Amino acid sequence: MAPAYGGSVPMRRIMKPAAAMEVARYNLEDALSDHSASSELYPTLSRELSREMSRDSRVTDKYAFAFDIDGVLIRGGRPIPEAIEAMKVLNGKNPYGIKIPYIFVTNGGGKTEQERCVQLSKQLELEVSPGQFICGHTPMREMVAQYKTVLVVGGEGEKCRHVAESYGFKDIVTPGDIIKDNPHTTPFRSLTEQELENSKLRNYGKVKIEAILVFADSRDWAGDQQIILDLLTSKGGYLGTRSENFDEGPPLFFAHNDIIWSAQHDHTRLGMGALRLSLEAMYHGITGKKLEATSFGKPQIGTFEFATRLLQQWRKENSGIDAPPETVYFVGDTPESDIRGSNLFNEHSANEWYSILVRTGVYDEGTTPKFTPKATCDNVLQAVLHAIEREKNKDTLKWRDEVSSQQEALRSTHSVDWAAKGSMIST
Ligand code: G3P
Ligand code: MG
């Protein structure tokens, strides 16, 4: 049976266009009707077929999407209108009836992935699972093994403490805890009743803080920076101490490095990357030294490697697809993080990462993005349709190539026959 399918082309590839897939499926079913005999004959084929039979064949295994959130799907907490439509297209509402797997990769954070997915499900009017979601601090959960006592900075109220608890960090300190212990830490800022109630009283002079984790945008730039600088210039992470050489403090980690992001305001707002710039300036001002710190999030390769693993797992669990997609379409609004990251990862990755920039967020129409996207679209819906068309064109081209190569093969076999026949006739 196999040669009929052009042997060299892996079976699954032939199955793409729905019609051809059905034909191939029937032929294979025929071929394999006597399952026991044929499964010995074609072990991989029958395994492939039973898996194909078991999975929803409308789900394409050839490409997938990774979506940024702020400025692409959501703006200032509200869904961007085309985003809801785009989700419907991905779930089969398109001319080809195909479903396309997708994940979400945001630098935002400040609440648990579970809580963020519940919120996103409401905003996008469809279920979003933590199994398809990464936020800026998600990869930081892997530092639980390294650090016991950590200072967690940013976000609303106690939310970041809950995120750290959900990751398994054993001993979590917040700026509020430190101010409660020593109100003179922030001369112009005292805790609200609620903050006092939430904060944990301890003698922090006796607590060794092993790492500083900035999980989300700071709600108190002055207080948070004062406390971070107190620790960076401390002796070994003990508050109230001062290092002579200023390099005995705990390491500093940021969930991302976005200097600006697109919120409800017409113009971009300052982000966590701006807090880092401010800290770098003050640290240098105080110590004369350059501040060393590590950022997660996009454009870091680590985040795209994490996204690749998550996408692989999601497609496997959700659609029974094992092999990596040929192409991942990354749709973002920030050239410095989304486009730069997916272009960089495209150079490293075995499969193609195709960056699409949309005009609904940070990117300002008429300006030249610092990092060049593969395509620029008005909004996420146009981006999804652009990718689907591109894949269809790729398919058509591939079919054309296959048909012409098969025609070529046929022509050459027949010309050999005719030639042989010709020579036979001549004698
Ligand atoms: O604070 C988050 C913001 O900087 C960007 O979020 O979803 O565009 O990566 P996002
Ligand atoms: Mg964005």
Side-chain angles (χ1 to χ4, degrees):
M1 182 61 82
Y5 287 95
S8 64
V9 180
M11 189 57 65
R12 184 172 305 153
R13 201 87 42 262
I14 289 180
M15 278 190 194
K16 280 301 167 282
M21 186 164 73
E22 289 314 307
V23 175
R25 184 185 297 283
Y26 292 124
N27 294 349
L28 284 167
E29 274 163 15
D30 271 358
L32 294 171
S33 54
D34 167 5
H35 201 64
S36 58
S38 47
S39 59
E40 274 109 50
L41 272 177
Y42 308 104
T44 38
L45 192 54
S46 59
R47 227 191 356 268
E48 287 252 351
L49 180 68
S50 50
R51 192 186 15 245
E52 283 298 323
M53 306 293 275
S54 63
R55 77 173 183 83
D56 179 346
S57 61
R58 287 162 304 159
V59 180
T60 175
D61 59 356
K62 243 186 68 208
Y63 62 107
F65 281 88
F67 292 106
D68 171 46
I69 294 182
D70 289 307
V72 171
L73 302 170
I74 305 291
R75 188 134 187 189
R78 295 219 192 94
I80 289 172
E82 294 81 4
I84 292 169
E85 194 51 31
M87 292 296 130
K88 292 188 180 133
V89 170
L90 292 164
N91 287 286
K93 192 180 166 208
N94 57 66
Y96 313 104
I98 51 171
K99 292 182 175 183
I100 307 152
Y102 50 90
I103 60 171
F104 303 91
V105 185
T106 174
N107 275 352
K111 40 180 80 100
T112 62
E113 287 76 3
Q114 183 64 37
E115 194 185 338
R116 190 79 177 77
C117 287
V118 170
Q119 184 191 23
L120 203 53
S121 302
K122 287 200 192 94
Q123 291 164 322
L124 298 177
E125 299 173 8
L126 89 173
E127 198 211 330
V128 174
S129 149
Q132 60 185 143
F133 178 89
I134 302 175
C135 65
H137 44 65
T138 306
M140 294 167 91
R141 70 180 173 204
E142 294 176 357
M143 294 199 289
V144 164
Q146 245 168 312
Y147 303 110
K148 180 172 162 292
T149 304
V150 293
L151 173 74
V152 172
V153 178
E156 285 158 48
E158 293 293 292
K159 286 191 183 288
C160 282
R161 192 197 304 269
H162 300 150
V163 172
E165 283 160 356
S166 74
Y167 290 166
F169 283 102
K170 296 284 172 291
D171 186 4
I172 301 152
V173 182
T174 67
D177 298 345
I178 292 168
I179 298 170
K180 185 171 184 174
D181 172 42
N182 178 357
H184 305 312
T185 304
T186 51
F188 310 119
R189 150 104 163 101
S190 41
L191 297 181
T192 62
E193 279 314 305
Q194 186 61 57
E195 288 168 334
L196 268 174
E197 200 184 306
N198 293 341
S199 300
K200 303 195 179 349
L201 194 55
R202 277 165 85 180
N203 173 359
Y204 289 101
K206 299 248 178 303
V207 177
K208 176 178 176 59
I209 292 178
E210 298 164 48
I212 304 165
L213 312 179
V214 183
F215 270 8
D217 291 321
S218 165
R219 269 52 172 185
D220 169 20
W221 275 52
D224 289 348
Q225 291 187 87
Q226 176 66 69
I227 290 166
I228 292 173
L229 285 166
D230 285 344
L231 278 171
L232 291 173
T233 56
S234 70
K235 263 186 185 314
Y238 290 95
L239 282 164
T241 65
R242 260 292 177 270
S243 159
E244 281 84 40
N245 52 26
F246 298 121
D247 53 16
E248 301 170 80
L252 173 58
F253 300 95
F254 292 93
H256 67 86
N257 215 16
D258 290 352
I259 295 171
I260 54 171
W261 66 297
S262 66
Q264 208 138 1
H265 193 280
D266 295 350
H267 299 296
T268 54
R269 301 292 83 186
L270 292 175
M272 189 186 289
L275 182 86
R276 177 174 175 162
L277 288 177
S278 159
L279 268 169
E280 283 171 352
M282 288 196 272
Y283 183 79
H284 187 265
I286 296 166
T287 68
K289 293 188 168 191
K290 180 178 175 322
L291 172 62
E292 300 300 335
T294 306
S295 286
F296 287 78
K298 302 163 288 183
Q300 314 304 333
I301 288 276
T303 295
F304 286 83
E305 284 161 350
F306 200 97
T308 299
R309 294 198 296 275
L310 187 93
L311 182 60
Q312 185 96 1
Q313 204 175 326
W314 176 249
R315 291 163 75 247
K316 187 149 196 289
E317 280 162 14
N318 214 48
S319 311
I321 302 171
D322 236 338
E326 280 173 23
T327 303
V328 179
Y329 290 91
F330 193 98
V331 185
D333 71 307
T334 309
E336 285 73 11
S337 57
D338 303 315
I339 306 307
R340 179 182 182 189
S342 40
N343 288 357
L344 200 59
F345 193 61
N346 184 46
E347 287 159 28
H348 289 75
S349 169
N351 56 2
E352 179 194 31
W353 281 67
Y354 184 100
S355 56
I356 304 179
L357 180 64
V358 292
R359 297 188 176 90
T360 47
V362 165
Y363 165 61
D364 252 343
E365 183 61 33
T367 61
T368 311
K370 218 160 142 203
F371 299 92
T372 314
K374 299 282 186 316
T376 304
C377 298
D378 285 351
N379 54 56
V380 64
L381 178 57
Q382 293 311 318
V384 168
L385 297 175
H386 166 84
I388 292 177
E389 262 341 284
R390 181 172 182 264
E391 290 296 326
K392 280 296 139 206
N393 298 341
K394 275 206 277 183
D395 265 354
T396 319
L397 285 176
K398 195 170 284 158
W399 266 98
R400 271 213 206 102
D401 298 353
E402 271 160 25
V403 168
S404 56
S405 63
Q406 287 181 6
Q407 281 168 341
E408 195 46 49
L410 277 173
R411 252 195 301 282
S412 56
T413 21
H414 292 322
S415 54
V416 171
D417 299 354
W418 284 119
K421 279 204 181 64
S423 58
M424 274 156 57
I425 294 167
S426 58
T427 46

